[in-house]
Amino acid sequence: MKCDVLVVGAGLAGLTVAERIANDMKLKVIVVDKRDHIGGNVYDFYNNDGILIHKYGPHIFHTNDSEVYEYLSRFTEWRQFEHFVLSSVDGKLVPMPVTLDTVNAIYGTDMNEEEMKAFLEKEAVSFDEIKTSEQVALSKVGPLLYEKLFKNYTKKQWGIDASELDTSVISRIPVRFNHDTRYFADTYQGMPLYGYTKMCEKMVESKNIKLLLKTDYKEIASEIQHRALVYTGRTDEFFHNFYGKLPYRSLDFIFETHDMEKFQEAPCVNYPNDNEYTRITEFKWMTGQTCYKTATCKLIPGDDGQALYPFPTAEYQAQFANYRKLMAKEKNTYFVGRLAEYKYYNMDKVVKRGLEVFEDMKKDYEELSTYERVHSLSEEEL
């Protein structure tokens, strides 16, 4: 087989690059993936009870990037949805992230916005330099809220203490001095109206894209002639673990169907201090489906299983820096996405990186003529 560009991975990163190359540059693209479906971790499907669920845990789209939103809007309509999360603390469900309502519920107070600001300033711990996620939380909310909301949840999620994680983990979670209990405050929030899988199918409708699912790239790499490679898998595996295997955190997904219309009081409930799971998500909140039964998913973090979360520690970032040097030496090879770049990207950032990589490839093609067109290939040859 021959193609202009071989894309490894049919997740959002790979599909974004493949779609742009096929439809903008009119080049032939082959996309390979070991799984039996496209969409990567955003893949969704209808269970036996007709409820749309996310196979790899809940995914809620949110972004402030108009380019990303407008790009994905070519392939889907949107169901307006704003995400809300409650956290189980001392037998009560309190809003997450930390808001005025959260603080009043936990402390049993009736503070206003200005009083909350003054209160948390008094509670906050000061540091000469903030280097860890634990220090981020302590500097924002003080010891008590850190203990009740963040410490044990982070330990369950990552398997190590927040004092060992860099600042990026807890910095993602805001503190609001008002009653805005939405989990995200982004300009664009919602769910693909007919699901992520339908959106991804639209992305690969081009006749210039050929999909090879249930296909291991390593097993067919020598059989596909290509001028450029887009790689979205694990970089350590790409280089045969030359600098050692990079650790990733994984999840077990426990799906349950309940004979009731609603299971819980919010789309997601966190359990920072109880149970082995970190949270329970109820999908009907997100999809807007109406039926008597409902479906939930418990998330149980672990070290074995599918690689999902790169470890945000200085040690492993230094290890990846060695791989980055090898990546820079690869000709006509583009590494993109959470696994390939060992970076905790949200969905919108993954799509953004895909669009950026496409622009790099287009520039390389136009200025350096590094690729050879194969438009003349027949369908049989492809």
Side-chain angles (χ1 to χ4, degrees):
M1 289 187 288
K2 295 181 181 180
C3 64
D4 290 296
V5 180
L6 174 61
V7 176
V8 179
L12 281 180
L15 295 185
T16 299
V17 180
E19 186 279 327
R20 288 288 74 216
I21 291 172
N23 290 317
D24 185 282
M25 298 176 69
K26 310 301 181 185
L27 299 178
K28 299 294 184 180
V29 183
I30 293 178
V31 181
V32 302
D33 199 298
K34 288 190 290 187
R35 303 179 192 180
D36 62 357
H37 60 76
I38 63 173
N41 292 338
V42 303
Y43 172 74
D44 52 19
F45 67 100
Y46 290 91
N47 69 7
N48 293 334
D49 296 294
I51 302 171
L52 185 64
I53 63 175
H54 300 177
K55 184 173 182 177
Y56 305 98
H59 288 78
I60 296 96
F61 180 78
H62 59 98
T63 188
N64 286 315
D65 193 317
S66 59
E67 179 190 18
V68 169
Y69 178 76
E70 290 166 6
Y71 172 72
L72 290 179
S73 295
R74 302 178 192 179
F75 313 106
T76 186
E77 298 175 64
W78 298 96
R79 176 180 185 267
Q80 295 305 308
F81 172 76
E82 292 183 321
H83 194 41
F84 289 87
V85 176
L86 297 174
S87 191
S88 178
V89 177
D90 297 334
K92 296 182 290 187
L93 295 177
V94 302
M96 189 68 185
V98 175
T99 65
L100 183 57
D101 297 322
T102 312
V103 174
N104 281 332
I106 290 178
Y107 283 94
T109 54
D110 189 26
M111 290 183 279
N112 60 33
E113 295 182 20
E114 292 304 316
E115 289 170 335
M116 177 186 170
K117 289 179 183 178
F119 178 77
L120 288 188
E121 284 178 5
K122 184 178 178 180
E123 290 288 300
V125 179
S126 62
F127 299 93
D128 293 334
E129 184 180 2
I130 295 178
K131 297 181 178 180
T132 70
S133 276
E134 179 180 70
Q135 291 173 333
V136 169
L138 290 172
S139 69
K140 286 185 175 182
V141 300
L144 180 64
L145 291 180
Y146 169 64
E147 291 280 340
K148 291 184 177 294
L149 294 171
F150 297 102
K151 183 176 181 178
N152 295 327
Y153 186 96
T154 305
K155 183 69 177 289
K156 282 198 290 185
Q157 175 67 30
W158 295 101
I160 58 177
D161 197 79
S163 62
E164 300 177 64
L165 297 168
D166 71 32
T167 59
S168 65
V169 177
I170 290 182
S171 293
R172 294 161 56 94
I173 303 173
V175 174
R176 301 191 187 121
F177 300 95
N178 54 33
H179 296 284
D180 183 0
T181 59
R182 296 176 301 164
Y183 197 73
F184 306 114
D186 300 67
T187 303
Y188 308 100
Q189 301 185 47
M191 304 292 291
L193 186 59
Y194 303 106
Y196 286 101
T197 299
K198 291 296 184 183
M199 180 185 77
C200 291
E201 289 172 351
K202 289 282 187 181
M203 295 175 74
V204 294
E205 281 184 344
S206 170
K207 64 181 181 181
N208 288 329
I209 297 176
K210 181 180 181 66
L211 288 171
L212 296 178
L213 301 178
K214 295 189 288 186
T215 302
D216 190 331
Y217 158 71
K218 295 189 293 292
E219 296 177 0
I220 55 86
S222 61
E223 300 176 16
I224 300 180
Q225 297 180 38
H226 55 279
R227 301 303 175 183
L229 174 69
V230 175
Y231 184 79
T232 71
R234 293 180 57 150
T235 297
D236 50 358
E237 291 183 354
F238 183 88
F239 292 108
H240 309 288
N241 297 320
F242 186 82
Y243 286 112
K245 190 174 182 179
L246 288 164
Y248 289 84
R249 197 70 168 154
S250 62
L251 291 171
D252 283 334
F253 307 101
I254 309 300
F255 295 98
E256 297 175 341
T257 299
H258 309 271
D259 290 323
M260 57 183 69
E261 290 188 8
K262 185 175 72 173
F263 177 79
Q264 58 190 22
E265 297 305 309
C268 178
V269 176
N270 288 352
Y271 293 87
N273 306 308
D274 305 305
N275 308 304
E276 62 175 340
Y277 47 86
T278 54
R279 50 188 164 133
I280 299 178
T281 295
E282 185 173 3
F283 293 105
K284 281 171 57 178
W285 286 89
M286 298 181 290
T287 63
Q289 288 180 273
T290 55
C291 58
Y292 178 69
K293 292 186 177 182
T294 190
T296 60
C297 177
K298 294 177 181 176
L299 302 185
I300 303 176
D303 292 319
D304 300 322
Q306 182 186 354
L308 294 175
Y309 301 100
F311 261 92
T313 65
E315 175 188 357
Y316 300 127
Q317 291 301 319
Q319 183 182 357
F320 180 70
N322 290 324
Y323 280 111
R324 192 175 290 280
K325 295 174 184 177
L326 296 181
M327 293 160 63
K329 296 178 181 179
E330 291 291 316
K331 293 183 178 181
N332 297 336
T333 302
Y334 301 83
F335 297 86
V336 56
R338 183 182 285 194
L339 298 183
E341 299 179 72
Y342 204 65
K343 191 171 183 178
Y344 189 2
Y345 284 124
N346 285 333
M347 278 186 290
D348 63 324
K349 300 300 182 184
V350 167
V351 174
K352 184 71 170 183
R353 282 292 297 136
L355 294 174
E356 291 170 348
V357 167
F358 160 69
E359 292 297 337
D360 289 341
M361 297 180 72
K362 188 174 182 180
K363 181 179 179 181
D364 289 344
Y365 179 81
E366 292 173 347
E367 294 185 1
L368 303 177
S369 298
T370 55
Y371 313 143
E372 179 180 308
R373 293 178 181 268
V374 290
H375 296 308
S376 61
L377 291 177
S378 65
E379 290 296 322
E380 289 74 19
E381 288 177 297
L382 288 169

Short mmCIF file of all heavy atoms in Angstrom, two decimals, residues 337-356:
data_model
loop_
_atom_site.label_atom_id
_atom_site.label_comp_id
_atom_site.label_asym_id
_atom_site.label_seq_id
_atom_site.Cartn_x
_atom_site.Cartn_y
_atom_site.Cartn_z
N GLY A 337 -0.35 14.94 20.30
CA GLY A 337 -1.33 14.37 21.21
C GLY A 337 -0.79 14.06 22.58
O GLY A 337 0.40 14.19 22.86
N ARG A 338 -1.70 13.62 23.44
CA ARG A 338 -1.38 13.39 24.85
C ARG A 338 -0.30 12.35 25.04
O ARG A 338 0.63 12.54 25.82
CB ARG A 338 -2.65 12.97 25.60
CG ARG A 338 -2.46 12.79 27.08
CD ARG A 338 -3.72 12.32 27.78
NE ARG A 338 -4.71 13.39 27.92
CZ ARG A 338 -5.78 13.31 28.71
NH1 ARG A 338 -6.00 12.21 29.40
NH2 ARG A 338 -6.63 14.31 28.79
N LEU A 339 -0.38 11.22 24.33
CA LEU A 339 0.61 10.16 24.49
C LEU A 339 1.93 10.53 23.83
O LEU A 339 3.00 10.34 24.40
CB LEU A 339 0.08 8.85 23.92
CG LEU A 339 -1.18 8.27 24.55
CD1 LEU A 339 -1.53 6.93 23.91
CD2 LEU A 339 -0.99 8.09 26.06
N ALA A 340 1.85 11.04 22.61
CA ALA A 340 3.06 11.33 21.85
C ALA A 340 3.87 12.47 22.47
O ALA A 340 5.10 12.47 22.41
CB ALA A 340 2.71 11.68 20.40
N GLU A 341 3.18 13.44 23.06
CA GLU A 341 3.86 14.59 23.64
C GLU A 341 3.96 14.52 25.16
O GLU A 341 4.46 15.45 25.79
CB GLU A 341 3.16 15.88 23.21
CG GLU A 341 3.15 16.08 21.71
CD GLU A 341 2.42 17.35 21.31
OE1 GLU A 341 2.97 18.44 21.55
OE2 GLU A 341 1.30 17.25 20.76
N TYR A 342 3.48 13.43 25.72
CA TYR A 342 3.52 13.19 27.17
C TYR A 342 3.03 14.42 27.92
O TYR A 342 3.70 14.98 28.79
CB TYR A 342 4.93 12.83 27.62
CG TYR A 342 4.96 12.04 28.92
CD1 TYR A 342 4.40 10.77 28.98
CD2 TYR A 342 5.55 12.55 30.07
CE1 TYR A 342 4.41 10.04 30.14
CE2 TYR A 342 5.56 11.83 31.25
CZ TYR A 342 4.99 10.58 31.28
OH TYR A 342 4.99 9.85 32.47
N LYS A 343 1.81 14.85 27.55
CA LYS A 343 1.26 16.08 28.12
C LYS A 343 -0.24 15.90 28.32
O LYS A 343 -0.93 15.32 27.47
CB LYS A 343 1.52 17.26 27.18
CG LYS A 343 1.21 18.61 27.77
CD LYS A 343 1.72 19.73 26.86
CE LYS A 343 1.48 21.10 27.48
NZ LYS A 343 2.01 22.19 26.61
N TYR A 344 -0.74 16.40 29.44
CA TYR A 344 -2.14 16.24 29.79
C TYR A 344 -2.98 17.29 29.05
O TYR A 344 -3.26 18.36 29.56
CB TYR A 344 -2.29 16.40 31.30
CG TYR A 344 -3.65 16.06 31.86
CD1 TYR A 344 -4.68 15.61 31.04
CD2 TYR A 344 -3.90 16.19 33.22
CE1 TYR A 344 -5.91 15.30 31.56
CE2 TYR A 344 -5.14 15.89 33.75
CZ TYR A 344 -6.14 15.45 32.93
OH TYR A 344 -7.37 15.15 33.44
N TYR A 345 -3.37 16.96 27.81
CA TYR A 345 -4.19 17.84 26.99
C TYR A 345 -5.67 17.59 27.23
O TYR A 345 -6.10 16.43 27.31
CB TYR A 345 -3.93 17.60 25.51
CG TYR A 345 -2.65 18.17 24.95
CD1 TYR A 345 -1.73 17.35 24.30
CD2 TYR A 345 -2.38 19.53 25.03
CE1 TYR A 345 -0.56 17.87 23.76
CE2 TYR A 345 -1.22 20.06 24.49
CZ TYR A 345 -0.32 19.22 23.86
OH TYR A 345 0.83 19.75 23.33
N ASN A 346 -6.47 18.65 27.31
CA ASN A 346 -7.90 18.52 27.19
C ASN A 346 -8.25 18.31 25.71
O ASN A 346 -7.42 18.51 24.83
CB ASN A 346 -8.61 19.77 27.72
CG ASN A 346 -8.61 19.83 29.23
OD1 ASN A 346 -8.56 18.80 29.91
ND2 ASN A 346 -8.66 21.03 29.77
N MET A 347 -9.51 17.95 25.44
CA MET A 347 -9.91 17.68 24.07
C MET A 347 -9.65 18.85 23.13
O MET A 347 -9.17 18.67 22.01
CB MET A 347 -11.40 17.34 24.01
CG MET A 347 -11.74 15.91 24.34
SD MET A 347 -13.49 15.60 24.06
CE MET A 347 -14.22 16.56 25.38
N ASP A 348 -10.00 20.05 23.58
CA ASP A 348 -9.84 21.19 22.69
C ASP A 348 -8.38 21.45 22.37
O ASP A 348 -8.03 21.83 21.25
CB ASP A 348 -10.49 22.44 23.28
CG ASP A 348 -9.85 22.89 24.59
OD1 ASP A 348 -9.43 22.02 25.38
OD2 ASP A 348 -9.77 24.11 24.82
N LYS A 349 -7.50 21.21 23.34
CA LYS A 349 -6.07 21.40 23.12
C LYS A 349 -5.51 20.34 22.16
O LYS A 349 -4.58 20.61 21.38
CB LYS A 349 -5.31 21.36 24.44
CG LYS A 349 -5.73 22.42 25.44
CD LYS A 349 -5.54 23.83 24.90
CE LYS A 349 -5.92 24.88 25.94
NZ LYS A 349 -5.83 26.26 25.40
N VAL A 350 -6.07 19.14 22.22
CA VAL A 350 -5.66 18.09 21.29
C VAL A 350 -6.02 18.49 19.86
O VAL A 350 -5.20 18.36 18.93
CB VAL A 350 -6.33 16.75 21.65
CG1 VAL A 350 -6.17 15.74 20.52
CG2 VAL A 350 -5.72 16.18 22.93
N VAL A 351 -7.23 18.98 19.67
CA VAL A 351 -7.65 19.43 18.34
C VAL A 351 -6.80 20.61 17.88
O VAL A 351 -6.37 20.68 16.73
CB VAL A 351 -9.15 19.80 18.33
CG1 VAL A 351 -9.55 20.42 17.00
CG2 VAL A 351 -10.00 18.56 18.63
N LYS A 352 -6.53 21.53 18.79
CA LYS A 352 -5.68 22.68 18.46
C LYS A 352 -4.31 22.23 18.01
O LYS A 352 -3.76 22.73 17.01
CB LYS A 352 -5.56 23.58 19.70
CG LYS A 352 -4.78 24.87 19.44
CD LYS A 352 -5.57 25.84 18.58
CE LYS A 352 -4.93 27.21 18.53
NZ LYS A 352 -5.74 28.18 17.75
N ARG A 353 -3.72 21.26 18.71
CA ARG A 353 -2.41 20.75 18.32
C ARG A 353 -2.49 20.08 16.96
O ARG A 353 -1.56 20.20 16.14
CB ARG A 353 -1.89 19.75 19.35
CG ARG A 353 -1.31 20.38 20.59
CD ARG A 353 -0.01 21.13 20.29
NE ARG A 353 1.02 20.24 19.82
CZ ARG A 353 1.83 20.50 18.79
NH1 ARG A 353 1.70 21.61 18.10
NH2 ARG A 353 2.76 19.63 18.44
N GLY A 354 -3.59 19.38 16.69
CA GLY A 354 -3.75 18.77 15.38
C GLY A 354 -3.77 19.81 14.27
O GLY A 354 -3.15 19.63 13.22
N LEU A 355 -4.47 20.91 14.50
CA LEU A 355 -4.53 21.99 13.51
C LEU A 355 -3.16 22.65 13.34
O LEU A 355 -2.76 23.01 12.22
CB LEU A 355 -5.57 23.03 13.93
CG LEU A 355 -7.02 22.55 13.95
CD1 LEU A 355 -7.93 23.62 14.54
CD2 LEU A 355 -7.48 22.15 12.55
N GLU A 356 -2.43 22.79 14.43
CA GLU A 356 -1.08 23.38 14.36
C GLU A 356 -0.12 22.48 13.60
O GLU A 356 0.67 22.95 12.77
CB GLU A 356 -0.55 23.64 15.77
CG GLU A 356 -1.28 24.75 16.51
CD GLU A 356 -0.89 24.82 17.98
OE1 GLU A 356 -0.23 23.88 18.48
OE2 GLU A 356 -1.26 25.81 18.64
#
